[in-house]
Amino acid sequence: MRLRLLYIALCMICLSAAKANTEVHGRKRVAVVLSGGGAKGVAHIRALKVIEEAGIPVDIIVGTSMGSIVGGLYASGYTADQIDSLVLVQNWQNLLTDKTDRDKIRLDEKQNTEKYILSMRFDKSPFEVIEGGLLKGNKIGFLLSELTADHLKPMDYNKLPIPFACVATDIVTGTEVDMHSGILAESIRTSMAIPGVFSPIKRDSMVLVDGGLVNNYPVDVARKMGADIVIGVDVSSPSREYAQFKSASTVLMQVLDIACANKMTENRANTDVLIRVDVNGYSSANFQKAAIDTLLMRGEKAAREQWDELIALKPVIGLPNDYVPETVRRKPKHLVIDYKTFEPVPSIYSAKNNASFLGIGARFDNEELATLLLGGTYEFNHKNHFQAGVEARLGKRLYTKVRTSINPWKRWKLQLLYTFTYNDMRLYNEGTKIADVSFHRHNVNLSLSRSWRQLSLSFGTVFNSEHYDERLTTRQWTDFVQENMTERSLSYFFAMQFDNQDSRVLPKRGMKWSIQYKYYTDNGIKFGGKGGISSVEGYWNIALPITRTTILQPFVSGRFVENRNTHFCMANFVGGIDTYDHYIPQQLPFAGINYVQMAPNQVLIGGLTIRQYITENIYTFAIGNYGFTGNAFQNFFNTKNMVGAAIGGGYKTPVGPIELNLNWSNITQKLGAFFNIGYMF
């Protein structure tokens, strides 16, 4: 009898619990599905915000690619507002590359790699740079690990504050992989691994890439997870028309969109409320701040246009019209992370800063036309940093550099550098052409140096041999240099450099300076039977942000050689904007002179650059400079001095600035124009 009563009591308790459970969950389950779309996917954030405002509970969230990033963060406890803030503070151009932050690498490494448009690092083999993708995704891997630091162990995603799933593609079998468990950061990074751009993630026997290839809008996955109602946010681009196919990039984007159209029609038809964002005019790669701001607003606009449909869902779900869902658990504004013990997910982040790299650079200007730069370094021994490297410049001016270096003592580098240069150029004096010169140079530099993040010291010896293959000159040439067909010198030098600017080009803050002393000889001790010839050269400039959009950049440069110098290999040259040693190692920039202008033995130049940003990437600038010159210090301020100016505009791109300027100087006595694309090298 007692057992029977106990059984009845247990049944009543179970029925009571079941009834309570029905009261809590006695409604239909709602899923939000977020499509892939690269940069366009930031629109998901504001759409989620509107869904929150409408009082619609989110029981399941599923995403692909960028949708998996937004969805995964939302499922782990971030609110739409918090994700919005995270997106706005990121430097996306920096985040989506594998370049180490400028303030975290040594000065000599900056100088070796920053001239390249694309610099790809590897560890043991150069073929590593093409193993699946141009980018390893190191920075995005670290960020995802950091943002999900409370979920860095394998887990069931149904145990997140909101059950979550994301989609990847196994390119071994070509099949869809729906990820419901694992390490959250790794799954998100896997879902966004665009083929050929980001390296794939290898798991078990699978090679996983972007899920958009097989299911870019995974409503069916949400239905399998038990969703009764699906609200979808679709940021895919509309089909392009015939007239829009005007470039290779347009064709490529269309091919990708076609590949990502799998299941799209049936999944859209299986959506209860479809929020289609107007992404016209934007591509998956538009991560510029202005584009992100616009896409966020368009996401909100598209969701608000569906407001009535969202509100109409409440009775269908089984909710009163005034229902307000429980607030999703908020993440702390800053996760408390112990960075001494914090370890990012190793499958998506490597802490090793490989010294070996391959680099590609390119530029164009109206003086030299197209120029290509190829280079690379291989580190044979990581312990003493034994390296060898090569660099080749192809174009009107040719050079090849071969170097090898080793660290015999901690942080000190012993380097042997050989450079072969071929140059064919016009030389001017006071605006008049005085020579057409073609020559080749052999230069051997042996140096010992130490480099910190902002400062470097070096000293050593240089052997230089220049042979003039052809030289058509006027009488003025002999006023400057001797007409030797071959010139040789053996010199000794000491140099210091400092650079803490935030960018190699177009800096917005920071200072940069260099000073070098050189002692020229022709036999190791003397020059021309007398003592060696000394030279001192240097420059200084500082970037000062006056307002958020206005940058002032004062600068000073100069080179001083003993007045008995009559040799071309030691002569001073000026010309160009921000082009130190561009044509000749001893060249100083001077706005208003576009070509190579010979100068007396003493040159001191001062000036100011003003740069005004119209948008994040579009800017205008004005440069004014004044130069003192003289062959001896006693007439330094009495000779004809130089005055020049330039005014122009530019556009900052991932491959370097595109600039056009108009310039004038009292040397040329005429208006000139200079157009260039890319970084100077």
Side-chain angles (χ1 to χ4, degrees):
M1 185 69 176
R2 290 180 179 177
L3 288 174
R4 186 178 297 175
L5 290 172
L6 179 62
Y7 176 75
I8 293 171
L10 288 172
C11 288
M12 290 178 67
I13 292 171
C14 290
L15 287 170
S16 176
K19 183 179 180 183
N21 189 59
T22 302
E23 289 175 354
V24 175
H25 300 289
R27 60 172 176 78
K28 295 182 178 180
R29 301 185 75 193
V30 180
V32 171
V33 176
L34 309 175
S35 78
K40 297 175 292 183
V42 300
H44 294 316
I45 301 167
R46 297 275 175 88
L48 278 170
K49 184 178 179 181
V50 174
I51 293 170
E52 286 179 354
E53 289 179 16
I56 304 297
V58 179
D59 304 305
I60 298 168
I61 192 159
V62 182
T64 295
S65 196
M66 192 65 174
S68 73
I69 297 178
V70 176
L73 294 178
Y74 194 78
S76 71
Y78 288 94
T79 63
D81 283 336
Q82 288 176 318
I83 302 172
D84 195 307
S85 298
L86 285 169
V87 165
L88 289 173
V89 299
Q90 301 304 321
N91 182 338
W92 286 95
Q93 185 174 326
N94 187 45
L95 182 63
L96 294 173
T97 66
D98 290 322
K99 286 185 177 180
T100 306
D101 292 338
R102 197 170 196 267
D103 60 352
K104 295 180 181 177
I105 59 176
R106 297 192 318 270
L107 182 55
D108 60 343
E109 189 177 354
K110 298 175 192 177
Q111 295 167 340
N112 283 339
T113 60
E114 288 186 335
K115 65 189 79 173
Y116 297 105
I117 294 172
L118 184 62
S119 179
M120 300 162 286
R121 295 186 178 275
F122 60 92
D123 182 21
K124 296 179 180 179
S125 168
F127 294 103
E128 292 174 23
V129 303
I130 55 174
E131 285 185 354
L134 293 174
L135 303 174
K136 301 297 181 185
N138 236 14
K139 286 191 174 181
I140 192 72
F142 184 90
L143 179 64
L144 292 173
S145 299
E146 190 177 38
L147 294 176
T148 60
D150 49 347
H151 299 297
L152 291 183
K153 294 182 179 179
M155 65 174 298
D156 181 352
Y157 299 154
N158 286 318
K159 295 181 179 179
L160 289 168
I162 300 175
F164 169 71
C166 58
V167 179
T169 304
D170 177 13
I171 56 175
V172 174
T173 61
T175 56
E176 177 179 337
V177 177
D178 301 332
M179 294 177 286
H180 298 273
S181 62
I183 300 174
L184 183 59
E186 181 187 69
S187 294
I188 294 171
R189 165 64 175 81
T190 300
S191 183
M192 57 153 284
I194 303 170
V197 178
F198 289 105
S199 296
I201 303 299
K202 295 180 180 179
R203 182 188 293 178
D204 301 326
S205 59
M206 300 181 293
V207 179
L208 301 175
V209 298
D210 196 309
L213 295 178
V214 289
N215 197 349
N216 199 44
Y217 178 56
V219 172
D220 54 329
V221 177
R223 293 291 187 187
K224 290 175 185 176
M225 292 174 68
D228 301 303
I229 302 293
V230 172
I231 301 170
V233 186
D234 181 7
V235 296
S236 58
S237 298
S239 298
R240 295 169 180 83
E241 309 219 347
Y242 177 84
Q244 293 178 277
F245 290 94
K246 296 179 179 180
S247 66
S249 61
T250 305
V251 173
L252 178 60
M253 293 307 298
Q254 180 73 358
V255 170
L256 289 174
D257 287 344
I258 292 172
C260 293
N262 289 310
K263 298 186 178 180
M264 187 64 79
T265 302
E266 53 265 42
N267 277 335
R268 282 176 182 158
N270 200 14
T271 304
D272 295 283
V273 175
L274 177 59
I275 300 171
R276 294 205 64 177
V277 182
D278 174 17
V279 295
N280 190 39
Y282 294 93
S283 73
S284 302
N286 284 136
F287 281 99
Q288 294 85 0
K289 186 178 184 304
I292 287 175
D293 288 341
T294 301
L295 288 164
L296 284 168
M297 289 188 290
R298 289 190 183 184
E300 181 173 358
K301 180 176 181 291
R304 292 201 182 282
E305 289 173 352
Q306 301 296 317
W307 181 267
D308 291 341
E309 285 78 1
L310 290 172
I311 297 300
L313 280 180
K314 284 188 172 182
V316 178
I317 297 170
L319 298 170
N321 288 332
D322 59 353
Y323 173 79
V324 177
E326 293 182 13
T327 304
V328 177
R329 179 178 64 85
R330 277 183 172 269
K331 291 271 189 179
K333 287 187 177 180
H334 300 286
L335 283 175
V336 179
I337 300 173
D338 182 359
Y339 285 98
K340 292 181 180 179
T341 59
F342 173 67
E343 294 184 8
V345 181
S347 60
I348 60 176
Y349 175 79
S350 172
K352 185 184 293 183
N353 185 20
N354 297 320
S356 302
F357 75 92
L358 295 176
I360 301 172
R363 63 179 309 276
F364 174 89
D365 67 54
N366 59 312
E367 289 288 324
E368 295 187 296
L369 303 180
T371 306
L372 181 66
L373 184 69
L374 303 172
T377 294
Y378 185 79
E379 187 167 84
F380 295 92
N381 187 303
H382 297 317
K383 186 176 181 180
N384 58 19
H385 301 289
F386 174 45
Q387 300 177 357
V390 63
E391 182 177 289
R393 185 187 198 278
L394 308 176
K396 189 176 180 181
R397 289 186 309 113
L398 304 172
Y399 71 64
T400 301
K401 296 181 179 181
V402 180
R403 64 178 176 273
T404 183
S405 65
I406 192 170
N407 287 33
W409 306 285
K410 187 178 181 180
R411 299 185 182 277
W412 284 93
K413 179 168 71 174
L414 181 65
Q415 177 174 272
L416 180 65
L417 170 65
Y418 166 74
T419 304
F420 172 80
T421 305
Y422 176 79
N423 212 333
D424 184 0
M425 63 184 186
R426 297 164 293 167
L427 289 179
Y428 289 78
N429 175 41
E430 296 187 358
T432 302
K433 188 171 76 170
I434 61 173
D436 287 309
V437 181
S438 63
F439 65 91
H440 63 269
R441 176 193 300 123
H442 300 275
N443 183 284
V444 181
N445 182 311
L446 178 64
S447 65
L448 184 64
S449 64
R450 179 166 180 174
S451 185
W452 293 265
R453 292 182 180 180
Q454 299 176 350
L455 178 70
S456 71
L457 304 173
S458 62
F459 59 91
T461 182
V462 179
F463 171 76
N464 192 72
S465 175
E466 295 184 3
H467 179 78
Y468 302 96
D469 304 296
E470 186 176 351
R471 186 164 60 189
L472 302 175
T473 67
T474 67
R475 185 179 183 86
Q476 291 187 58
W477 170 271
T478 58
D479 295 337
F480 286 88
V481 297
Q482 295 181 355
E483 292 196 61
N484 301 329
M485 292 306 293
T486 301
E487 293 184 345
R488 295 186 179 90
S489 67
L490 180 65
S491 57
Y492 310 96
F493 71 90
F494 172 77
M496 292 180 64
Q497 293 180 303
F498 178 87
D499 182 357
N500 70 351
Q501 292 184 337
D502 60 349
S503 175
R504 175 180 175 244
V505 296
L506 307 175
K508 293 186 176 180
R509 58 179 54 83
M511 182 169 59
K512 183 177 181 180
W513 56 261
S514 171
I515 188 167
Q516 176 179 265
Y517 169 78
K518 210 164 190 178
Y519 184 79
Y520 293 89
T521 75
D522 56 10
N523 62 3
I525 301 174
K526 298 182 178 181
F527 200 104
K530 300 180 181 180
I533 298 176
S534 295
S535 74
V536 177
E537 61 185 272
Y539 64 82
W540 171 90
N541 71 62
I542 186 170
L544 302 170
I546 303 304
T547 69
R548 190 175 61 84
T549 59
T550 305
I551 311 297
L552 294 186
Q553 199 167 348
F555 58 87
V556 176
S557 64
R559 188 169 187 270
F560 305 89
V561 190
E562 289 185 33
N563 59 9
R564 67 188 180 91
N565 171 50
T566 57
H567 292 267
F568 183 78
C569 65
M570 292 178 279
N572 286 332
F573 301 88
V574 296
I577 295 177
D578 196 23
T579 51
Y580 294 94
D581 69 21
H582 184 60
Y583 296 98
I584 300 290
Q586 314 92 269
Q587 179 187 346
L588 301 175
F590 193 83
I593 300 175
N594 292 336
Y595 39 74
V596 185
Q597 166 85 21
M598 295 200 71
N601 286 325
Q602 277 82 45
V603 178
L604 179 64
I605 299 169
L608 176 68
T609 299
I610 303 174
R611 194 164 59 252
Q612 178 67 45
Y613 285 88
I614 300 171
T615 67
E616 183 182 8
N617 295 312
I618 299 174
Y619 57 92
T620 60
F621 62 89
I623 306 173
N625 44 206
Y626 190 90
F628 298 98
T629 63
N631 278 319
F633 282 108
Q634 55 266 33
N635 62 12
F636 189 64
F637 295 100
N638 299 324
T639 56
K640 181 180 180 179
N641 293 319
M642 302 183 297
V643 180
I647 186 169
Y651 180 72
K652 185 178 179 181
T653 76
V655 298
I658 301 174
E659 290 186 345
L660 172 66
N661 75 74
L662 301 177
N663 51 76
W664 176 91
S665 75
N666 66 335
I667 302 299
T668 61
Q669 291 292 328
K670 63 180 181 181
L671 189 67
F674 187 74
F675 174 75
N676 76 279
I677 303 174
Y679 300 114
M680 287 286 186
F681 53 78

